[in-house]
Amino acid sequence: MDTETRDFLEKKFDGIDKKFEVLDNKFDRIDQRFDETDKKFDQKIDALANAVAEGFSAVDKRFDRLENRVGAVENRVGGVEGGLARLEINMLTMHFDKKETQERLARLEAHHERTFKRVDEFLTVVNRHESEIAALRGGQQRIEERLP
C-alpha cells in the first residue's frame, strides 16, 4: 500500500474514530439520562408504593374500626335478643299465671257464693228462731202474769 493511500485511509479512519467518539459521548450522555430517569422513576415508584401502603394502612384501620363497631352492634343485638327471649318467657309465665289466677278466682267466687248462701240460710234460721223465741217469751210472760 502506498503512502498516499495510507494517509488517506488514516484520515478517513481518524474521521470515523472521531465520529465514533462523538457517538460514544452521545451514548454516554444517553446512559446518564437513562440513569437519571431510572433514579427518578425509582423515586416515583417508591413514593407511589409508600402512598399505596399508607392508603392500605388507612383502609385497614377503617376496617378495624368497622369490625369493632359491627362487633358492638352484634353484642347489642345479642343483648336485645336475650332481653326479648326473657320478655317472651315472662309473658308466657304471666299468661299461665293469669289463667291460674282466673281459675282460682272462679273457684273463690263459687266458694263465696256457697258461703253467702249458707250465711243467708243461717240468718233465715236465726230469724225464724228469734221469732219463735220471741213468741215463747211472749207466751211465758203471759203464763207468768196468770200465775199468782
Side-chain angles (χ1 to χ4, degrees):
M1 196 182 295
D2 66 54
T3 319
E4 201 177 287
T5 308
R6 184 177 242 180
D7 285 342
F8 174 77
L9 284 175
E10 279 199 26
K11 280 184 185 180
K12 286 286 183 187
F13 280 122
D14 285 342
I16 290 173
D17 281 343
K18 285 181 184 178
K19 286 183 181 180
F20 273 121
E21 280 181 30
V22 169
L23 284 175
D24 278 344
N25 288 335
K26 284 183 180 181
F27 279 122
D28 286 343
R29 284 194 311 260
I30 289 171
D31 282 344
Q32 286 176 351
R33 287 175 66 190
F34 272 125
D35 288 342
E36 289 172 13
T37 303
D38 278 347
K39 286 178 187 176
K40 287 180 182 178
F41 188 71
D42 287 343
Q43 290 171 351
K44 298 261 183 194
I45 293 244
D46 287 343
L48 184 61
N50 288 336
V52 169
E54 287 175 9
F56 276 121
S57 177
V59 168
D60 280 344
K61 287 178 183 175
R62 290 177 80 185
F63 272 121
D64 289 342
R65 285 194 309 267
L66 182 63
E67 282 179 346
N68 290 338
R69 288 176 65 189
V70 167
V73 167
E74 285 176 344
N75 289 339
R76 288 177 64 193
V77 167
V80 168
E81 286 175 346
L84 288 175
R86 287 190 302 276
L87 182 61
E88 186 176 1
I89 289 169
N90 288 341
M91 287 177 59
L92 288 173
T93 303
M94 287 173 50
H95 176 73
F96 289 119
D97 287 350
K98 177 186 170 201
K99 200 173 201 177
E100 288 177 9
T101 303
Q102 286 175 332
E103 291 170 357
R104 202 167 160 212
L105 180 62
R107 286 193 308 269
L108 282 172
E109 286 175 344
H111 179 70
H112 279 82
E113 285 298 318
R114 288 191 306 270
T115 302
F116 286 138
K117 186 176 179 183
R118 288 178 68 197
V119 167
D120 284 343
E121 289 171 357
F122 175 73
L123 289 176
T124 303
V125 170
V126 167
N127 283 337
R128 192 173 348 121
H129 285 308
E130 283 179 349
S131 299
E132 289 174 357
I133 290 172
L136 287 174
R137 280 189 184 153
Q140 180 185 2
Q141 191 177 13
R142 282 192 303 271
I143 290 176
E144 285 178 358
E145 288 175 0
R146 287 191 204 163
L147 287 178

